[in-house]
Amino acid sequence: RAKQSAFQKLQAAYYQALNEYYKPLQSAKTPEEAAKIKLDPKKDPNRLYAPKFLHYAESAGKTQDAFQAWLMVEQLAQQGQDTKDEEKATAEIMAKFIDTPWIGQFATALPYSDYSLPHDARVKKLSALLIKIGNTTKLDSVKASALYARGQLIGGEGQGDPASAARFYREVLAKYPDTPEGKRAKGDIFEMENLVVGKPAPDIEATDQDGVKFKLSDYRGKVVVLDFWGFW
């Protein structure tokens, strides 16, 4: 069993404290019971551990653990609406780690950050960061992450500009088809082009409850309800 680093121990302690903090809510049997539970904000692990991650990040140099610590600083700063620490973490990550393979993880998370900003300002800020990452790195894996993230940012999880997002996805697929982002881009493009209102549903083959094989196209022109379910 590999020995835990100081960062891993700190992170494990944080998640354990987080679990303990929210245990009363998780144990509530009804919404009414949960509504009566009052958590002490002074004991919130996000508040207590933010300075610990910051201290570690500042002292760990340009190591992978330092990078992960800065990610935690940014995450907790966003949750606590601490703009100062959030901006500090972003600046440190871009200055120290932009030439490392780890920066791809930061790029992947950017489309889901800075929601406190107005939409246009948010897109402008995050796009600039992603463009800089893509232009600086020499790694195809990171270039793919940054390019795909730009599509995610512009697409706004289906609520933004799908045509512009699709252009980014097609570029990822053309340049980096064998990366995880290339494979996701292929699926995103298929979804945009086929799984939208007004498009014929892709044909599927299945077996009904009586063991009879059928195709969805067998019911074309009829009202069909599809119920997808499974075991997890």
Side-chain angles (χ1 to χ4, degrees), residues 49-222:
Y49 276 82
K52 296 181 182 181
F53 281 113
L54 178 58
H55 175 74
Y56 183 91
E58 289 177 329
S59 64
K62 194 179 175 180
T63 63
Q64 186 171 5
D65 276 354
F67 171 76
Q68 294 295 337
W70 281 119
L71 288 184
M72 289 299 300
V73 171
E74 182 169 58
Q75 174 187 321
L76 298 183
Q78 287 183 16
Q79 292 176 3
Q81 297 183 333
D82 185 340
T83 305
K84 180 181 178 182
D85 278 354
E86 181 183 351
E87 293 295 334
K88 180 179 179 64
T90 297
E92 290 288 334
I93 289 171
M94 292 294 290
K96 292 182 178 178
F97 304 99
I98 197 168
D99 60 345
T100 71
W102 318 319
I103 197 71
Q105 184 181 349
F106 178 65
T108 298
L110 279 176
Y112 311 102
S113 62
D114 282 304
Y115 283 108
S116 60
L117 292 176
H119 174 75
D120 290 347
R122 177 175 176 271
V123 171
K124 182 179 180 180
K125 173 188 174 181
L126 299 181
S127 293
L129 292 173
L130 290 167
I131 290 170
K132 185 173 182 180
I133 291 171
N135 289 340
T136 302
T137 185
K138 297 179 180 179
L139 299 173
D140 283 354
S141 59
V142 175
K143 288 181 182 293
S145 295
L147 197 58
Y148 183 81
R150 290 176 67 189
Q152 293 279 284
L153 177 63
I154 298 298
E157 297 180 297
Q159 305 300 315
D161 182 351
S164 294
R167 286 196 288 272
F168 284 114
Y169 296 149
R170 289 192 179 94
E171 187 176 350
V172 174
L173 184 58
K175 292 181 176 179
Y176 315 107
D178 296 327
T179 64
E181 289 75 19
K183 293 177 174 61
R184 285 198 291 270
K186 184 177 181 180
D188 290 329
I189 293 169
F190 178 84
E191 182 177 338
M192 289 177 168
E193 294 179 344
N194 297 279
L195 305 182
V196 293
V197 175
K199 290 280 188 178
D203 203 11
I204 61 172
E205 295 185 19
T207 303
D208 68 17
Q209 61 185 6
D210 298 317
V212 178
K213 293 183 178 181
F214 70 93
K215 293 182 179 180
L216 182 60
S217 56
D218 295 339
Y219 300 93
R220 193 174 302 280
K222 300 178 181 180

